[in-house]
Amino acid sequence: MAKRLVSLACEPVPGLGLQRAVGVGRLSVRQLDGRTRLNRLYQEGCAKIRIPKTYHGSALEAVVINTSGGVTGGDRMNWRFEAGPGTHLMLTTQACEKVYKSSGGVAENTISLSVEAGARLAWLPQETIMFDRAGLSRSITADLAVDAEALFLEPVVLGRRSMGEHLEHADLHDRWRISRDGRLLHAEDFHLSGPVRPVLPQSAVTSGRSAFATLLFVSPRAEGFVTEARRLIGPGGGVSCWNGKLLARVTAEDSFELRKILLPLVSLLNFGAELPKVWSI
């Protein structure tokens, strides 16, 4: 009888799917007495938002948290942030987001940002770590007022080399759509799919390096930072600037080397604010 009970417990239940993580987070800020203050906050499922006490001048720092501890195929995260007129909002993540091996489908992460007149916003998540056979579809959509400024960063690590991890197969799709005053300013799609080891050594991908980042700085002051940004990045990437935006690509051997480049680079472009405290924990 005992053996029969064990057998029944291991059999799949018809119609019962795998448990998936779903999270929705919303936050908006407004200006009050010359400082950026919380206006609205909504969180659902595994999506949490925390606002630590910081000393960034007029900036408000919000920390995005996925309490499920990572994502895998079929998980869905949806975030929306709004910076009201004249505000300064800095967004980051509590830790690196880990994308685990998928048993089917991809994880979806949707980020929507709104930056109103005279506002400044920085989207500065920590690294996304891709494990072998992981799948992630991520979209960043931002609407900026004509005089708003914004800084966007997305660092990615394709397996942690210090842990002996190497990617053979992965599915990563990054989609960015950034508009200013209702007109498309920046659009890009980065897509790795299937066996990735043969394509990573290509110079148009990562030149064989396992860590990389894309940084976009939208500001009428962008051109003034090009020379220093190129010096900080060195031979591991490049910087272009046109039409009021600075675009940087960075590659490195691992996440530690990537951070050594990103920390001073973000400090240069982060509107005079300190880096998020969670980056140093």
Side-chain angles (χ1 to χ4, degrees):
M1 179 62 72
K3 291 183 178 180
R4 180 56 180 166
L5 288 175
V6 171
S7 176
L8 287 174
C10 295
E11 293 178 2
V13 179
L16 183 62
L18 296 174
Q19 184 178 6
R20 298 306 185 193
V22 178
V24 178
R26 305 279 186 266
L27 180 141
S28 67
V29 296
R30 63 173 180 168
Q31 188 184 77
L32 183 64
D33 298 328
R35 293 183 62 84
T36 300
R37 304 289 188 181
L38 177 65
N39 185 34
R40 291 189 300 272
L41 172 63
Y42 174 84
Q43 50 194 18
E44 175 185 326
C46 60
K48 307 298 179 187
I49 302 172
R50 296 294 180 263
I51 304 174
K53 290 184 178 180
T54 57
Y55 302 93
H56 297 304
S58 62
L60 182 144
E61 179 180 322
V63 180
V64 172
I65 303 170
N66 173 14
T67 59
S68 68
V71 293
T72 187
D75 292 348
R76 301 190 309 277
M77 303 296 296
N78 188 290
W79 306 95
R80 179 166 181 80
F81 302 97
E82 300 176 6
T87 59
H88 185 181
L89 177 60
M90 183 163 61
L91 303 160
T92 187
T93 55
Q94 181 191 37
C96 299
E97 182 71 286
K98 298 178 178 65
V99 187
Y100 295 109
K101 177 182 177 180
S102 172
S103 59
V106 299
E108 297 179 6
N109 191 1
T110 304
I111 303 108
S112 301
L113 307 163
S114 175
V115 193
E116 298 188 32
R120 292 174 291 177
L121 180 143
W123 172 251
L124 303 173
Q126 298 187 64
E127 297 92 334
T128 296
I129 301 175
M130 299 287 293
F131 288 79
D132 193 34
R133 298 189 180 276
L136 173 65
S137 176
R138 177 170 53 200
S139 67
I140 300 176
T141 303
D143 295 311
L144 281 62
V146 66
D147 60 344
E149 296 180 288
L151 174 62
F152 308 92
L153 172 69
E154 280 293 352
V156 177
V157 178
L158 303 175
R160 299 169 297 183
R161 291 194 174 181
S162 61
M163 304 293 288
E165 299 168 359
H166 297 279
L167 255 69
E168 298 292 341
H169 292 76
D171 191 345
L172 172 63
H173 187 187
D174 249 336
R175 182 181 188 272
W176 294 32
R177 295 293 184 272
I178 314 298
S179 299
R180 180 171 58 193
D181 195 27
R183 301 183 64 181
L184 185 64
L185 175 70
H186 181 79
E188 66 173 85
D189 281 78
F190 178 85
H191 197 187
L192 282 174
S193 182
V196 296
R197 179 168 287 192
V199 301
L200 292 181
Q202 298 176 16
S203 59
V205 188
T206 69
S207 297
R209 297 178 170 186
S210 64
F212 63 94
T214 298
L215 182 146
L216 177 67
F217 180 54
V218 179
S219 169
R221 304 176 291 129
E223 189 173 352
F225 294 97
V226 172
T227 300
E228 181 63 10
R230 285 175 176 161
R231 185 190 70 81
L232 292 172
I233 292 174
V239 177
S240 299
C241 187
W242 73 103
N243 196 26
K245 65 178 182 179
L246 181 153
L247 180 65
R249 313 284 192 185
V250 184
T251 61
E253 294 297 332
D254 54 35
S255 59
F256 179 73
E257 294 299 324
L258 183 65
R259 282 206 176 202
K260 287 171 62 176
I261 299 172
L262 290 181
L263 289 176
L265 182 60
V266 172
S267 295
L268 173 71
L269 303 173
N270 195 26
F271 312 109
E274 297 179 7
L275 289 171
K277 294 298 182 184
V278 293
W279 275 43
S280 60
I281 296 177

